[in-house]
Each structure stands twice: as structure tokens, then as C-alpha cells.
């Protein structure tokens, strides 16, 4: 007989919990894991009863566990939420096409409506085409900027009030470090907020803010959740890689370091005299932006004009050199013109059983 | 084959890796890397093999010195002298200064 | 979910080989040092270097009320940075001998040789500063246990934590200071926590010594390389709340002793080369993680990380330092919420925050039993912090002492305390810690009393 679980003192301990180094049994691990997420949700008043919430689903471990836990907590604590899955198809062959299959299975397993928004339909470019154009160096910039806007647009189509994403504690701690390293003071302040409100009033939050990546993997493993576990084939740049390695090393030295960094990040306050960018609206597509044009529009313009560096680095200088955009260049449709899907719209794949339930 | 006489100095804690000696005159062959001239790269590898008693990772990293260790060649920053490619001359005065707390 | 949001291009920061061989300033002399992307000749380099120092001390002088005649203390480790600082302060003060900026300069060094079982560093340090003719104070870190290293000046209670997790405050016993310090540090199982403890004990001792000697300013030699390492390591240890105080060029957090960091704009490289040029001989003092591998502690790992990154991207240090300088101490900082160990401010309710995001127990009707179980575990070497946090709902006297102690710690010190693993005996925390706990208790009682009589008070606290 092995050691007993330090919480219930009855069952055999089967894991050493990464966050606390406690030896726990399966059920007690599930309990603390789920309760911490529930605490984060209620302490921060993330939802109201009746909210329509889209779960950003990539098919990876974080979003699969998120969908599972959101559904479970919604039922257990009667949040009264209407949940949806929202997926972005970046158009990465051998990566996203496979992971989308996982999302489609999740749709069946969790019995939730699914909406897929693709880069091709929204921007006229898939990531594969973008990489062909810009190379491997800055492709993450395109992907990140385009995904953010695609999620918000998908949310409008679904007519939801809220998007939840699978960003975990490790992601947030890494972002805190990255923002210090590159001196991005505005993002440094924003990145530890559990919930942010965009211009279109779609709230966006991170219920896994305090959840360790390792524990998400453990949870998925023990619950035998179906997820897709291949890394993106277009890997991030080296600078972030350094920060990631540093964070992993920190965690080995002191497991609480991830939470400790988030604790620090939450405490940071910026001097009043430091100028922060003012959030406005992109004059071309209506998406929130601190400049005249949002990053997505500039990047897309660069792609369409064959000037992929246009949105990278100093935009002002580049625009001066290359002049205004020609009249006939394709742009992203204006944010205010997005149509809300109705249930009959074939963009939303609704499970048949679900549909019949609604009709009853 | 001739010998190059050079003066090495250590400070900022790095002397602990070299028997706690702050200054040392050494003679190295001008043809360690024959037929090529002896460079800083050769010197560092020679120091690692001949002078360093233990913990080489505290002095070298790859084929150069560890980040955080300053090198001066005749009172001039080695980053302006070509770093590893600098060709050592007889009578050179080379200083290694650690700026690290961790030694 | 891909967590990458938007990458700023760092190409411009990547190291580029200098093209010019001449000094960027005088344009004529041969360059002998490369600082970030600029090349300088010896003369211009020294001029710029001294200029950065002067700019910082001038700024702090105009900001303070002391137009002249301030008595100051130099925290002197003997390392390259404090060695250069001593020389620069001395040059600055002696520039016009009849119009000295500082009426008196005291050099203070704290000897930590006990921790490494080495011979005292004081004689060597004293020797190296003798030529300046300044009063020299050499202290031994273990003497932080003396009853006069307190606000009161003769407070002799200590905090004693015994193996049964009993925390009590009592009169000093007969164990020597050295034994107390060694026992405390030997019972800290992790080097990160040990280094943290040592640093704050040293800082508290320096502040106390400055105060007792009538010095209104303490100079610390943190250079910009060191500060950027600190910004990252403090963040990693959960000290974000106090970070602006701990890395700023100047702070009055210790009220009557202002901390100034005049070396904050110089890179470690510049200082090393300056010392070499003018022939300043530093004394290398070993610390508890010296000569160890990079993963020995958070401090060491961070140093390795930042210095390595700086080699590849030469703006790393300056960018981090600039980011740090944009942070400000929070408006919610309260002077009375001062951690009793590190004396830094802490956030009210930080323990509740922690208990919500790290769930350690399940709701159970047998809470008291459960608590006892863990307490029993304490004697079987369970970390102290767990015990403190689990016993906070019980009401007997003993655990009240625990609660008071745990409540008087900042978040980061509570993380450190978790690494105290009592092996065979009790540990003793210095009198200044006990004094802090006592003061907190008094404040708390006074607040309670005030609550009782509030409706009868006709004036505010300040008027009383």
C-alpha cells in the first residue's frame, strides 16, 4: 500500500500535485482543480445568469479541458450559462485541419453548438498562404493579430456576450515576463486581468488564469479527454523561447513561481505620468485599436499589396514610403456589418438532438 | 616555433577559478593552432585545459567566455578587438573581470 | 490555445558589429570600449560614466531638504559596484573641499562569513577603504540578534518557532547570536529562500545602523544590470507590490533613512572597466550560491538568464530597467502594513487571495481533526507554511500566535517560510521581527478600542 492522499486521508495518493507538491488521490485532485477554477469565476464575477458564452476551442488540451470544466461547473453550480464552441480555422495544413476534427468530436461529446470562422473567409488568406508570402520569421504576429479579431467576429455572429479562452497560469506568467523584457508597459498592466472588455462589449476572460499547464494535462489524462496534442508547425521566435525556458527552470526551483509571478503582475501599477496608448476604433474595419488603423488591417493591406513588412515594426515610416492603399485593395468587412447567425444558418453546426430539444 | 609571453589578470571573483591568483604571466606556443596564428579562441581553450582547475562552466560557455565576464586586451574592450578572432601578440596584457554575483 | 499574441520585432536589438573604430563622442581618439551600440575612447568613457553618477546624486540632492551637511552612509559589500560608488561619492564630495555636499560619510560593511564558515571579511574591507579616511563600521550579520538592533534599542524578545509548530514570543535565551543565525539558515531547505532571508536581514541591519548613527541617507550600489536582474527575480518571487520601492533610484519607505541608488544607470560592464582603468581593487565576497550551478536559486538563475540575453540582445538590461522605472508604489500602500521580516509593504488580504487560488483542503465537518493531523505532520517535517495556513480557523491561544505571525508577513516571505523545514530543534527569529509583531498587535488593539468608543469621539485621530 502506497501513501494516502493528504487531503482525504483515505484513498491512495496517485499524483504529486505540481502546484503544491501535495500527494493526492484522483478524486481530491479533481476536486481542488475544479474548485480553484470555480473560485476564479465567482470571485471575479465573470458571468451573469443567462449569459451566452463562447468557448474558444482549438482542439488542444487547454481548450478541451476548458470546454469540459465549463460544462461541468455550469451544471454543478447552476451558473445558468448558454455555452457555445467557437473555433478559428487558421488554415494550417497538418495542424489545424486535424485539430478541427477534434473540436468536431468535442461538439458531439459535450453536446454544444459549434461555430467555425476561417482566416480564408474573413481575410482571404490562410496561414499557409501567409507563411509562403512572409516566411517563418514573423508569421506568429499575423496569426496572433488575426486570431484575436476572428474570435471577436465569431462571437458577434454567435451573438454571445462573452468569450472564454484557455490561457493558463503558465501562459500568463510567461506574458508578464515577456512584457517586462520588451518594455511593453501597457500590455504589462493588462495581461494579468482575468477579464477584459473589448470595444464591442464582448467580454473576454481566462478561467484558467491560476491553473497550471501541467495540471491541465494531468486532468485531461486521467479524465481521458479527447484532445489534439501536436505543436503548431510554425514555431514562435527565439526571444519568447528564452522566456519559456526561464519560466520552466523557475518552476523547477520553486513550483509556486508561476503563481508568484501572476501575484506580482497583479500588483504592478504604472506611474501616472507614463503615457499609455488610447483605445479607439479602427477607421477601416471598426475593430478596437489604439491607432488610426488596427494591426489586422495594416497587416492585411501589406499582404494584399505585396508589402508583407508593412505592419511589422515602424508602421508610420513604412506608410510614408509606400503611400496610401490603392482603392481596389480587399479589406476586412466593417465590424458593424457582421451578421448575427440565426440557428438556421448553415454556418452553425448544430447537433440534431440539440435542435429537437429546443423545439420541444 | 616561438613562445608568446602574455600577462593574464583576474578580478571580480574569477580569480577563485584560477587558484586565487590575481595575476599570472604565461608562455604559450605561437603555433597552437598551426599554421594559423594563435587567437583569443585558442587562448581561452588553452586556459581551460592548462590553468582552470575545476568548474570550467563558470569560465567558458561554448568556445568563448561565459556572458558576464569582461575581457580587456591591452586596456581595450575585446569586443572592439575582434573577440575570439583577435590574434595574440607577444607581450599582450589580457584582463578577465567577472561582473557576476554567482562567481 | 496558442498564447502568442503579438510579437514585437527585436531585430533592431540584435547585436551588430561596430563599424567605427573611433570614439562616437570626440570622433578623433581610438575607441577602447563598446557600450551597447556606442564606442568610446578612454577619456570620453570616463567623462560619460562620471556624468551619469553626478546626474543621479544631483537629482536626489535637489529633491531632498538637505541643502548641505547631510550625514550619509555607504552600504559597502566590497564588490565592483560599491567599490566604484565609494570612489565616485568621495570624488564628488571632495571636489570643492570647503563646500562639501555631505558633512560626513560613513562606510558600513556587513560580514556574512559565518554562513560559509570562512574567515572574516572585515579586515580586508577595512584595509581597502582606509585611504578615504571615512569612519568605518564593520558588522557581523549574526549580530542582528542583538537587542539593540530594534527601533526601541533594547528590545530583547525573539520569535521562537518550535518543532511542534508552536510559535511563541519570549525573552531571549542564552544561545549565542551565531548559533541562532546558523540554526535559522540551516533550517531553510532552499537556497532561494535562504538568499532572500540573508538579503533582508542585511538590509534591515543597514537601515538600523544608518538610523542609529544619524545618517539620513543610505547609498546602495545596485547598477542597472543588477537592477534589471532584481526586477525579474523580485517579480518571480511574488514581490511585485514592493518592487518599485526595491529598485527605484530613491525611496523614503524607511522614512528617516532615504535609500539612494546612484549607480542605477551604469551597466556592470562599464563599472568593471572603470575600476580597471583607475586601478580600484575590489574585494570578492562569496555568497551562499557562489560557484554553484545556475539553477541553485531564483537569483542565480535570473542572473544567468539576463546576462545571457544581454549578450545576444544588448538592449535587454536597459529595456527592463526602463520598464521597472515606469512602475510606481501603489496608492494602497500603508505604512503599518509592513512585513515583520523584510519590512516591505504588503497588500491587505493577500492570504485570502492565496487560499482561493490554491485550494489545499476539502470542506469537511471534521475540520479541527484535520487541522490536528497536519499539525502532527509538522513534527514529521512538513513545511511550516502549510501548517500556518491550515490552522488559522482554530481559536486556542497557540494558533492565535501563529495567525498573528503569519498575518504579519508579506506574500513573498510567506512563500519563503514554507521552505523552513524544522529538523531537530527550534528556530529563532531576530528581536526586530518580534518587535514588529508586537507593534502590529498594539495597533490592532488600538483599532479595536477605537471601534468601541467611536461614536463618542468628537475629533479625528490626527487631532487627538
Amino acid at each position: 500500500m502506497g501513501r494516502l492522499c493528504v487531503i482525504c486521508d483515505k484513498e491512495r495518493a496517485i499524483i504529486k500535485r505540481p502546484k503544491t507538491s501535495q500527494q493526492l488521490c484522483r478524486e481530491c485532485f479533481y476536486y481542488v482543480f475544479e474548485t480553484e477554477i470555480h473560485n476564479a469565476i465567482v470571485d471575479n464575477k465573470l458571468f451573469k445568469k443567462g449569459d451566452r458564452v463562447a468557448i474558444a476551442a482549438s482542439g488542444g488540451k487547454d481548450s478541451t479541458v476548458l470546454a469540459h470544466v465549463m460544462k461541468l461547473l455550469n451544471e454543478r453550480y447552476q451558473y445558468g450559462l448558454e455555452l457555445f464552441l467557437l473555433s478559428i480555422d487558421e488554415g494550417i495544413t497538418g495542424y489545424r485541419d486535424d485539430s478541427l476534427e477534434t473540436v468536431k468530436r468535442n461538439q458531439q461529446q459535450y453536446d454544444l453548438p459549434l461555430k467555425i470562422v476561417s482566416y480564408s473567409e474573413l481575410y482571404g488568406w490562410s496561414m499557409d498562404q501567409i507563411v509562403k508570402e512572409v516566411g517563418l520569421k514573423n508569421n506568429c504576429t499575423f496569426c496572433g493579430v488575426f486570431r484575436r479579431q476572428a474570435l471577436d467576429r465569431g462571437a458577434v455572429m454567435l451573438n454571445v456576450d462573452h468569450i472564454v479562452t484557455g490561457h493558463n497560469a503558465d501562459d500568463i506568467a510567461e506574458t508578464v515576463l515577456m512584457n517586462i523584457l520588451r518594455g511593453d508597459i501597457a500590455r504589462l498592466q493588462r495581461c494579468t486581468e482575468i477579464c477584459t472588455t473589448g470595444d464591442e462589449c464582448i467580454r473576454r476572460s481566462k478561467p484558467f488564469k491560476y491553473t497550471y499547464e501541467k495540471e491541465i494535462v494531468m486532468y485531461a489524462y486521467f479524465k481521458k479527454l479527447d484532445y489534439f496534442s501536436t505543436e503548431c508547425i510554425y514555431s514562435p521566435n527565439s526571444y519568447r523561447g528564452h522566456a519559456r525556458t526561464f519560466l520552466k527552470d523557475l518552476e523547477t526551483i520553486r513550483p509556486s513561481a508561476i503563481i508568484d509571478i501572476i501575484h506580482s503582475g497583479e500588483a504592478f501599477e504604472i506611474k501616472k505620468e507614463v503615457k499609455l496608448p488610447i483605445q479607439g476604433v479602427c477607421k477601416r474595419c471598426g475593430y478596437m485599436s489604439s491607432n488610426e488603423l488596427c494591426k489586422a488591417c495594416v497587416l492585411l493591406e501589406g499582404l494584399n499589396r505585396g508589402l508583407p513588412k508593412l505592419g511589422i515594426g515602424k508602421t508610420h515610416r513604412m506608410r510614408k514610403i509606400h503611400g496610401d492603399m490603392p482603392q481596389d485593395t480587399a479589406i476586412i468587412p466593417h465590424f458593424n456589418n457582421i451578421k448575427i447567425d440565426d440557428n438556421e444558418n448553415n454556418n452553425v453546426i448544430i447537433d440534431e438532438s440539440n435542435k429537437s430539444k429546443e423545439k420541444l | 616555433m616561438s613562445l608568446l609571453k602574455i600577462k593574464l589578470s583576474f578580478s571580480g571573483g574569477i580569480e577563485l577559478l584560477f587558484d586565487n591568483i590575481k595575476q599570472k604571466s604565461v608562455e604559450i606556443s605561437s603555433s597552437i593552432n598551426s599554421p594559423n596564428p594563435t587567437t583569443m579562441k585558442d587562448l581561452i581553450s588553452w586556459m581551460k585545459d592548462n590553468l582552470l582547475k575545476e568548474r570550467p562552466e563558470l569560465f567558458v560557455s561554448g568556445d568563448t567566455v561565459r556572458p558576464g565576464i569582461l575581457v580587456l586586451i591591452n586596456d581595450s574592450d575585446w569586443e572592439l578587438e575582434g573577440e575570439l578572432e583577435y590574434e595574440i601578440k607577444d607581450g599582450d596584457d589580457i584582463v578577465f573581470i567577472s561582473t557576476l554575483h554567482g562567481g | 490555445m496558442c498564447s502568442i499574441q503579438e510579437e514585437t520585432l527585436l531585430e533592431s536589438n540584435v547585436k551588430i558589429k561596430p563599424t567605427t573604430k573611433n570614439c562616437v563622442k570626440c570622433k578623433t581618439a581610438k575607441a577602447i570600449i563598446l557600450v551597447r551600440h556606442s564606442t568610446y575612447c578612454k577619456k570620453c568613457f570616463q567623462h560619460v560614466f562620471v556624468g551619469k553618477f553626478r546626474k543621479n546624486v544631483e537629482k536626489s540632492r535637489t529633491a531632498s531638504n538637505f541643502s548641505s551637511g547631510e550625514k550619509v552612509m555607504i552600504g559597502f559589500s566590497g564588490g565592483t559596484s560599491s567599490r566604484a560608488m565609494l570612489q565616485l561619492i568621495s570624488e564628488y564630495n571632495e571636489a570643492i573641499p570647503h563646500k562639501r555636499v555631505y558633512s560626513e560619510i560613513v562606510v558600513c560593511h556587513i560580514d556574512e562569513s559565518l554562513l560559509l564558515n570562512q574567515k572574516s571579511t572585515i579586515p580586508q574591507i577595512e584595509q581597502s577603504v582606509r585611504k578615504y579616511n571615512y569612519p568605518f563600521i564593520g558588522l557581523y550579520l549574526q549580530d542582528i540578534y542583538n537587542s539593540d538592533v530594534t527601533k526601541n534599542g533594547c528590545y530583547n524578545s525573539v520569535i521562537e518557532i518550535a518543532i511542534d509548530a508552536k510559535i511563541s514570543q519570549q525573552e531571549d535565551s542564552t544561545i549565542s547570536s551565531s548559533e541562532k543565525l546558523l540554526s535559522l539558515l540551516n533550517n531553510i531547505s532552499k537556497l532561494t529562500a535562504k538568499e532572500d532571508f540573508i538579503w533582508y536581514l542585511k538590509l534591515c541591519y543597514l537601515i538600523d545602523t544608518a538610523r542609529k548613527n544619524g545618517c539620513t541617507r543610505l547609498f546602495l550600489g545596485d547598477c542597472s544590470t543588477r537592477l534589471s536582474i532584481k526586477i525579474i527575480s523580485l517579480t518571480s518571487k511574488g514581490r511585485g507590490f514592493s518592487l518599485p520601492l526595491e529598485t527605484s533610484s530613491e525611496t523614503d519607505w524607511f522614512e528617516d533613512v532615504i535609500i539612494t541608488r546612484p549607480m542605477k544607470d551604469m551597466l556592470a560592464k562599464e563599472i568593471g572597466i572603470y575600476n580597471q582603468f583607475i586601478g580600484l581593487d575590489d574585494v570578492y565576497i562569496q555568497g551562499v550560491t557562489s560557484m554553484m550551478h545556475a539553477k541553485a536559486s531564483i537569483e542565480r538563475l535570473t542572473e544567468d538568464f539576463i546576462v545571457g540575453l544581454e549578450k545576444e540582445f544588448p538592449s535587454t538590461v536597459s529595456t527592463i530597467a526602463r520598464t521597472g522605472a515606469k512602475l510606481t508604489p501603489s496608492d494602497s500602500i500603508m505604512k503599518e502594513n509592513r512585513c515583520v521580516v523584510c519590512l516591505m509593504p504588503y497588500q491587505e488580504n493577500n492570504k485570502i487571495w492565496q487560499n482561493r487560488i490554491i485550494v489545499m483542503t476539502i470542506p469537511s465537518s471534521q475540520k479541527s481533526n484535520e487541522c490536528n493531523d497536519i499539525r502532527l505532520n509538522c513534527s514529521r517535517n512538513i513545511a511550516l507554511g502549510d501548517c500556518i495556513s491550515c490552522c488559522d480557523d482554530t481559536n486556542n491561544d497557540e494558533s492565535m500566535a501563529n495567525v498573528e505571525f503569519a498575518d504579519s508577513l508579506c506574500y513573498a516571505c510567506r512563500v519563503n517560510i514554507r521552505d523552513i523545514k524544522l529538523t531537530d530543534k527550534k528556530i529563532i527569529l531576530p528581536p526586530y521581527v518580534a518587535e514588529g509583531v508586537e507593534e502590529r498587535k498594539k495597533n490592532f488593539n488600538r483599532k479595536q478600542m477605537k471601534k468601541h468608543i467611536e461614536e463618542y469621539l468628537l475629533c479625528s485621530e490626527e487631532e487627538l
Side-chain angles (χ1 to χ4, degrees):
Chain A
M1 182 89 184
R3 281 168 178 257
L4 288 180
C5 168
V6 298
I7 291 186
C8 65
D9 206 23
K10 290 186 189 81
E11 299 297 321
R12 190 167 69 92
I14 53 151
I15 61 151
K16 186 173 158 201
R17 190 177 180 207
K19 204 171 179 179
T20 60
S21 304
Q22 287 174 305
Q23 300 190 337
L24 302 183
C25 70
R26 194 184 296 234
E27 288 306 317
C28 284
F29 170 63
Y30 293 158
Y31 176 82
V32 293
F33 181 90
E34 290 155 6
T35 305
E36 285 169 6
I37 297 160
H38 171 64
N39 286 349
I41 290 172
V42 295
D43 290 355
N44 296 288
K45 301 189 179 69
L46 293 187
F47 311 114
K48 294 190 306 290
K49 238 187 177 71
D51 270 358
R52 291 164 62 92
V53 178
I55 301 162
S58 66
K61 59 178 176 7
D62 298 313
S63 63
T64 303
V65 175
L66 182 66
H68 175 90
V69 172
M70 282 301 294
K71 191 175 163 72
L72 181 136
L73 294 177
N74 190 30
E75 284 162 14
R76 181 186 291 165
Y77 297 103
Q78 282 142 30
Y79 294 160
L81 306 178
E82 212 177 324
L83 299 173
F84 300 85
L85 294 174
L86 173 58
S87 264
I88 306 301
D89 183 359
E90 295 96 342
I92 305 175
T93 316
Y95 170 66
R96 186 51 91 222
D97 45 357
D98 291 349
S99 59
L100 278 175
E101 289 309 310
T102 317
V103 179
K104 284 173 190 161
R105 282 199 302 278
N106 287 163
Q107 179 208 352
Q108 303 291 324
Q109 290 152 355
Y110 302 137
D111 190 19
L112 297 173
L114 166 69
K115 165 82 189 168
I116 300 173
V117 181
S118 78
Y119 281 11
S120 308
E121 94 187 71
L122 187 55
Y123 306 109
W125 290 80
S126 70
M127 271 314 285
D128 285 342
Q129 290 170 308
I130 293 174
V131 171
K132 231 176 250 160
E133 188 77 14
V134 307
L136 281 170
K137 201 146 189 194
N138 298 309
N139 72 85
C140 287
T141 306
F142 284 85
C143 197
V145 171
F146 282 174
R147 184 185 307 104
R148 193 173 167 84
Q149 172 144 183
L151 274 174
D152 278 337
R153 286 174 177 264
V156 174
M157 294 175 201
L158 279 172
N159 193 24
V160 297
D161 317 286
H162 206 132
I163 306 170
V164 289
T165 60
H167 292 105
N168 58 45
D170 302 51
D171 295 331
I172 294 166
E174 184 183 302
T175 308
V176 170
L177 292 175
M178 278 301 291
N179 286 333
I180 300 176
L181 290 174
R182 61 184 182 199
D184 194 333
I185 199 82
R187 280 208 181 78
L188 179 61
Q189 185 155 54
R190 278 201 310 257
C191 71
T192 51
E193 287 171 7
I194 190 165
C195 182
T196 49
T197 308
D199 190 54
E200 293 299 311
C201 293
I202 301 162
R203 282 150 64 83
R204 193 188 267 263
S205 55
K206 309 164 187 152
F208 283 171
K209 181 181 172 188
Y210 302 116
T211 308
Y212 275 37
E213 187 169 274
K214 278 191 186 133
E215 299 195 355
I216 292 171
V217 177
M218 263 182 187
Y219 188 87
Y221 175 82
F222 284 117
K223 289 254 176 180
K224 300 193 174 61
L225 299 184
D226 180 10
Y227 69 88
F228 181 78
S229 60
T230 306
E231 288 277 306
C232 178
I233 51 170
Y234 305 131
S235 56
N237 74 34
S238 67
Y239 204 80
R240 187 173 273 270
H242 288 301
R244 190 166 291 182
T245 311
F246 174 64
L247 187 69
K248 294 282 167 233
D249 290 341
L250 274 179
E251 197 190 351
T252 343
I253 297 176
R254 179 180 265 183
S256 70
I258 290 170
I259 288 295
D260 299 343
I261 290 171
I262 298 175
H263 184 72
S264 288
E266 287 181 9
F268 288 153
E269 283 186 27
I270 316 280
K271 282 185 181 159
K272 286 181 190 71
E273 62 266 30
V274 175
K275 274 207 189 106
L276 295 174
I278 302 153
Q279 285 289 347
V281 171
C282 171
K283 71 165 189 191
R284 195 174 290 166
C285 77
Y287 192 66
M288 61 180 175
S289 166
S290 47
N291 294 311
E292 192 177 63
L293 291 179
C294 75
K295 197 87 176 165
C297 279
V298 180
L299 289 174
L300 184 66
E301 183 187 329
L303 286 171
N304 287 335
R305 293 175 67 186
L307 307 163
K309 292 248 154 117
L310 192 66
I312 310 275
K314 297 255 184 294
T315 309
H316 275 302
R317 212 181 58 211
M318 293 300 279
R319 293 193 69 84
K320 225 176 226 168
I321 298 168
H322 297 290
D324 285 340
M325 180 176 72
Q327 284 286 307
D328 53 346
T329 315
I331 57 164
I332 313 172
H334 200 275
F335 212 83
N336 294 338
N337 299 336
I338 308 172
K339 289 217 168 51
I340 295 173
D341 291 340
D342 48 43
N343 284 355
E344 266 61 55
N345 193 318
N346 51 15
N347 268 334
V348 186
I349 308 157
I350 293 181
D351 187 63
E352 284 309 313
S353 58
N354 201 16
K355 216 175 209 172
S356 53
K357 247 184 266 164
E358 274 179 9
K359 275 175 188 159
L360 279 172
Chain B
M1 188 190 86
S2 61
L3 286 174
L4 298 171
K5 271 191 200 156
I6 51 176
K7 196 174 104 193
L8 302 176
S9 314
F10 306 102
S11 70
I14 204 164
E15 60 272 25
L16 293 181
L17 298 171
F18 295 94
D19 280 339
N20 218 351
I21 292 166
K22 288 226 161 202
Q23 271 182 8
K24 195 180 181 77
S25 288
V26 296
E27 292 184 345
I28 59 169
S29 159
S30 61
S31 54
I32 301 183
N33 193 17
S34 139
N36 303 317
T38 301
T39 60
M40 273 304 285
K41 187 176 165 184
D42 302 319
L43 175 69
I44 290 166
S45 125
W46 181 86
M47 286 171 72
K48 186 180 148 196
D49 295 338
N50 294 280
L51 299 181
L52 211 54
K53 293 290 170 331
E54 46 178 345
R55 315 298 309 272
E57 75 278 10
L58 294 179
F59 180 61
V60 292
S61 156
D63 55 11
T64 185
V65 294
R66 216 176 128 204
I69 294 176
L70 307 177
V71 185
L72 294 181
I73 300 167
N74 302 324
D75 257 3
S76 176
D77 189 350
W78 81 321
E79 291 187 58
L80 294 174
E81 301 291 334
E83 295 190 50
L84 292 175
E85 280 98 59
Y86 173 82
E87 288 172 20
I88 297 192
K89 297 184 303 293
D90 192 48
D92 273 350
D93 187 347
I94 300 170
V95 186
F96 296 88
I97 309 167
S98 172
T99 62
L100 301 162
H101 269 198
Chain C
M1 178 102 214
C2 182
S3 63
I4 296 149
Q5 295 194 334
E6 195 181 308
E7 301 292 346
T8 313
L9 197 73
L10 289 143
E11 241 166 43
S12 55
N13 296 339
V14 176
K15 201 162 165 179
I16 33 163
K17 285 247 156 78
T19 46
T20 165
K21 283 274 178 188
N22 280 350
C23 171
V24 291
K25 208 160 183 281
C26 66
K27 312 258 192 299
T28 50
K30 180 181 174 285
I32 50 89
I33 174 172
L34 176 70
V35 180
R36 292 182 57 199
H37 305 295
S38 309
T39 52
Y40 296 98
C41 69
K42 194 167 184 167
K43 208 172 140 213
C44 290
F45 163 70
Q46 290 192 17
H47 185 79
V48 170
F49 183 84
V50 175
K52 283 184 195 171
F53 171 82
R54 297 217 161 171
K55 196 187 87 207
N56 282 332
V57 285
E58 291 288 351
K59 207 162 49 181
S60 80
R61 197 163 67 113
T62 44
S64 75
N65 300 323
F66 301 93
S67 49
S68 68
E70 193 181 3
K71 186 173 174 183
V72 297
M73 178 180 275
I74 296 176
F76 191 77
S77 71
T80 42
S81 195
S82 60
R83 185 66 192 82
M85 179 170 73
L86 172 61
Q87 170 69 21
L88 291 164
I89 290 178
S90 160
E91 274 176 22
Y92 176 70
N93 206 39
E94 307 306 323
I96 315 166
H98 62 275
K99 232 182 147 185
R100 290 200 177 97
V101 178
Y102 309 118
S103 65
E104 205 175 338
I105 298 171
V106 180
V107 179
C108 182
H109 170 74
I110 298 184
D111 174 306
E112 345 164 14
S113 56
L114 176 76
L115 311 175
L116 294 157
N117 198 16
Q118 287 177 344
K119 64 176 201 293
S120 171
T121 51
I122 289 177
Q124 206 185 347
I125 296 281
E126 197 170 4
Q127 177 66 36
S128 79
V129 304
R130 183 161 297 156
K131 70 167 185 187
Y132 293 95
N133 263 323
Y134 293 143
F136 174 77
I137 304 177
L139 304 169
Y140 293 90
L141 185 58
Q142 58 268 32
D143 290 336
I144 189 101
Y145 280 93
N146 289 352
S147 61
D148 59 351
V149 190
T150 51
K151 271 192 189 163
N152 172 300
C154 58
Y155 189 88
N156 60 1
S157 276
V158 291
I159 298 262
E160 204 173 276
I161 302 172
I163 204 149
D164 55 357
K166 206 164 125 178
I167 295 173
S168 58
Q169 205 169 334
Q170 47 185 266
E171 295 298 295
D172 201 353
S173 46
T174 51
I175 317 167
S176 77
S177 296
S178 301
E179 284 170 299
K180 287 177 197 160
L181 181 64
L182 281 178
S183 148
L184 169 66
L185 296 174
N186 290 340
N187 279 295
I188 300 177
S189 60
K190 299 278 167 59
L191 284 168
T192 299
K194 202 180 280 199
E195 269 182 327
D196 219 46
F197 252 97
I198 294 168
W199 162 247
Y200 288 104
L201 290 181
K202 264 177 14 188
L203 180 67
C204 297
Y205 205 177
L206 279 175
I207 294 286
D208 184 79
T209 309
R211 190 175 278 145
K212 300 273 162 66
N213 284 278
C215 298
T216 47
R217 193 181 294 278
L218 171 67
F219 286 108
L220 296 179
D222 299 294
C223 64
S224 82
T225 311
R226 185 57 40 200
L227 285 174
S228 63
I229 294 168
K230 261 176 118 173
I231 288 167
I232 299 293
S233 70
L234 290 170
T235 302
S236 305
K237 291 187 282 193
R239 291 193 183 272
F241 193 66
S242 60
L243 185 145
L245 300 174
E246 298 188 70
T247 55
S248 64
S249 59
E250 195 152 296
T251 174
D252 62 354
W253 171 244
F254 292 100
E255 296 173 326
D256 47 350
V257 180
I258 290 168
I259 293 182
T260 302
R261 296 183 171 86
M263 310 293 282
K264 72 165 178 74
D265 292 327
M266 286 94 123
L267 295 166
K269 175 178 180 174
E270 296 175 75
I271 296 170
I273 289 179
Y274 172 80
N275 287 4
Q276 178 68 25
F277 284 169
I278 66 165
L280 294 180
D281 209 11
D282 51 87
V283 180
Y284 180 68
I285 306 288
Q286 273 186 277
V288 285
T289 59
S290 293
M291 317 300 278
M292 286 191 181
H293 59 92
K295 289 179 192 172
S297 73
I298 290 183
E299 209 63 52
R300 280 283 290 110
L301 179 74
T302 312
E303 177 179 70
D304 226 60
F305 172 60
I306 299 299
V307 173
L309 216 49
E310 172 84 355
K311 183 100 188 164
E312 217 178 314
F313 308 94
S315 351
T316 302
V317 163
S318 57
T319 307
I320 298 172
R322 233 181 309 119
T323 314
K326 286 179 185 159
L327 298 173
T328 182
S330 163
D331 289 337
S332 65
I333 280 185
M334 287 191 284
K335 295 260 178 194
E336 68 264 28
N337 281 352
R338 206 179 273 262
C339 170
V340 291
V341 170
C342 68
L343 302 187
M344 286 299 158
Y346 62 81
Q347 288 150 296
E348 198 105 50
N349 298 334
N350 68 79
K351 206 169 75 185
I352 297 170
W353 181 89
Q354 198 177 13
N355 289 345
R356 292 295 283 176
I357 60 158
I358 307 176
V359 175
M360 306 275 279
T361 54
I362 55 173
S364 146
S365 49
Q366 298 157 309
K367 178 121 197 189
S368 53
N369 280 344
E370 182 196 307
C371 196
N372 278 339
D373 281 346
I374 295 174
R375 183 166 295 194
L376 277 176
N377 281 338
C378 285
S379 52
R380 288 191 244 125
N381 280 342
I382 291 285
L384 192 62
D386 302 346
C387 187
I388 290 175
S389 60
C390 82
C391 296
D392 55 7
D393 285 339
T394 46
N395 267 324
N396 57 57
D397 284 350
E398 227 167 66
S399 58
M400 277 304 278
N402 290 5
V403 176
E404 266 160 26
F405 180 62
D407 278 348
S408 333
L409 295 177
C410 68
Y411 175 85
C413 281
R414 222 147 8 81
V415 172
N416 282 340
I417 291 276
R418 245 188 269 149
D419 286 333
I420 295 186
K421 307 242 193 269
L422 291 175
T423 47
D424 53 345
K425 49 190 158 200
K426 59 190 182 187
I427 54 158
I428 294 171
L429 293 170
Y432 85 85
V433 178
E435 191 185 30
V437 174
E438 178 116 336
E439 212 169 278
R440 213 186 125 78
K441 221 188 294 181
K442 270 189 208 145
N443 274 338
F444 185 74
N445 287 343
R446 205 178 144 72
K447 261 188 205 153
Q448 295 286 89
M449 274 159 67
K450 199 184 159 199
K451 231 181 193 168
H452 277 293
I453 57 167
E454 207 151 36
E455 52 185 304
Y456 306 105
L457 294 178
L458 300 174
C459 54
S460 68
E461 178 110 44
E462 290 79 52
E463 293 173 71
L464 280 174

